[in-house]
Amino acid sequence: MFQIGEFSKLANVSIRSLRHYDKIGLLIPEKINTETNYRYYSAKQLQTINKIQKLKEIGLSLSVINEILTSGSDAKTIQSHFAIRELELQEELETIKQQSLLLESSLAVLKEDSAKWNYHIIKKEIPERFVASIRDTIPAFASEGLLWERLYAEIIPQQVHFAKEPYSMAIFHDEAYREADVDVEVQVAIKTADYESRNGIFFKEASAVTVASVIINGSYEQMTAVTETVAIWLENHNYQLSGPMFNIYHVSIATEPNQENWVTEACFPIKEENHEI
């Protein structure tokens, strides 16, 4: 028989853990002296504690370990819990992979953040123009291409003539941020609106709008840094937002697969700040 301290050393398990195992019925001392309350463990119990430690290393909970030991280490019981743990590990591995990708993208954002003050913001006017347009609710921002496909599928057969400056843009109409079911309009400037509106495609005149404009070279992951910079610029120049933000795609995935070569103009409609707010 071994006192709890001795057994702790032999098993490489803390006294605190042994007392906890005793409390939950996972490993009860072989003998307890009723006068001194000293706990005594047998050499045979080293096998049990070693099993417990191995099962813990696998990631099984103490309640599951207790169930396995209570079953007499029944093979079916062990296989069942091991199969469940394997599925959990696969899910954890997928989560780790996603977190790894997030780390990579976060590193890129941090690098961009250090250079965000290099963004050059100007006040400009997007002129009045005729446009071919489609607006719809799409599953997510990444689904924007669906709208462009529908737009071009309709205007190409009508042999629509594009304006010299096409102003290919996506307008984000939701009043607040949404992760899904987003209200997006895509439009392209054309020479005249004298075409037949159909299948959700409309030919119309778009009003001029004054914006805070910033050119983004590269991926859209910079947008967080851009919006931070624009927000500070708006406050410093006493402007406030006045309409939905939109992107003008000068070079996009439609013509350039390498995102490092993309050129996007982020536009934020503005007006003079109302000091009564």
Side-chain angles (χ1 to χ4, degrees):
M1 290 285 193
F2 304 95
Q3 290 185 11
I4 190 169
E6 296 170 330
F7 189 78
S8 168
K9 290 180 181 179
L10 291 170
N12 293 318
V13 176
S14 69
I15 291 176
R16 181 179 179 182
S17 293
L18 289 173
R19 286 177 174 159
H20 180 63
Y21 295 164
D22 179 16
K23 182 178 180 180
I24 65 176
L26 183 60
L27 182 68
I28 300 171
E30 191 79 23
K31 179 182 176 181
I32 299 179
N33 188 313
T34 55
E35 295 181 2
T36 62
N37 203 34
Y38 287 167
R39 293 167 166 82
Y40 294 91
Y41 294 83
S42 68
K44 185 178 179 180
Q45 287 184 296
L46 274 175
Q47 296 179 0
T48 303
I49 193 67
N50 288 337
K51 281 184 181 179
I52 292 171
Q53 294 304 101
K54 283 292 183 184
L55 293 171
K56 277 185 64 180
E57 288 174 6
I58 293 170
L60 298 180
S61 67
L62 293 181
S63 61
V64 169
I65 293 172
N66 202 1
E67 183 181 336
I68 290 173
L69 295 179
T70 302
S71 73
S73 297
D74 175 67
K76 288 186 178 179
T77 302
I78 294 174
Q79 288 173 358
S80 173
H81 285 296
F82 278 23
I84 293 171
R85 182 58 184 151
E86 185 175 7
L87 289 174
E88 291 174 346
L89 288 171
Q90 289 174 358
E91 292 177 358
E92 290 170 13
L93 181 59
E94 185 59 33
T95 299
I96 290 171
K97 288 180 180 177
Q98 294 299 322
Q99 289 175 338
S100 178
L101 292 173
L102 183 59
L103 280 172
E104 291 180 12
S105 63
S106 296
L107 179 60
V109 169
L110 287 173
K111 288 179 179 178
E112 290 160 1
D113 186 61
S114 65
K116 69 183 179 182
W117 301 111
N118 292 329
Y119 292 121
H120 182 56
I121 301 169
I122 62 170
K123 176 185 174 183
K124 64 182 286 188
E125 183 178 81
I126 306 299
E128 210 175 68
R129 63 211 178 279
F130 296 114
V131 298
S133 164
I134 179 171
R135 176 178 175 179
D136 205 350
T137 300
I138 55 178
F141 292 109
S143 305
E144 183 186 310
L146 298 174
L147 294 178
W148 288 108
E149 289 176 7
R150 289 170 58 187
L151 179 67
Y152 280 99
E154 186 60 46
I155 65 177
I156 290 176
Q158 291 199 51
Q159 298 181 338
V160 171
H161 295 287
F162 297 104
K164 183 177 181 181
E165 173 55 69
Y167 289 108
S168 299
M169 67 174 63
I171 306 171
F172 308 104
H173 286 284
D174 288 304
E175 293 185 2
Y177 174 75
R178 294 176 62 90
E179 291 185 350
D181 300 324
V182 291
D183 182 0
V184 178
E185 176 183 0
V186 300
Q187 58 178 233
V188 61
I190 54 180
K191 289 185 176 181
T192 175
D194 295 332
Y195 298 96
E196 181 184 355
S197 294
R198 62 191 184 194
N199 298 325
I201 311 301
F202 293 92
F203 299 95
K204 62 183 183 180
E205 184 174 356
S207 301
V209 57
T210 301
V211 301
S213 164
V214 56
I215 296 294
I216 305 170
N217 294 292
S219 76
Y220 303 139
E221 290 180 354
Q222 301 176 65
M223 193 56 70
T224 300
V226 168
T227 54
E228 288 180 18
T229 308
V230 169
I232 293 171
W233 184 90
L234 292 176
E235 287 188 349
N236 290 342
H237 292 78
N238 298 316
Y239 289 113
Q240 64 186 68
L241 295 174
S242 179
M245 174 261 183
F246 56 90
N247 289 334
I248 300 175
Y249 303 115
H250 297 286
V251 180
S252 70
I253 193 172
T255 57
E256 173 53 62
N258 187 350
Q259 65 178 4
E260 293 182 3
N261 297 325
W262 294 351
V263 179
T264 308
E265 184 176 359
C267 296
F268 300 79
I270 57 173
K271 63 181 180 181
E272 295 287 343
E273 188 173 21
N274 183 353
H275 293 285
E276 295 180 358
I277 295 177

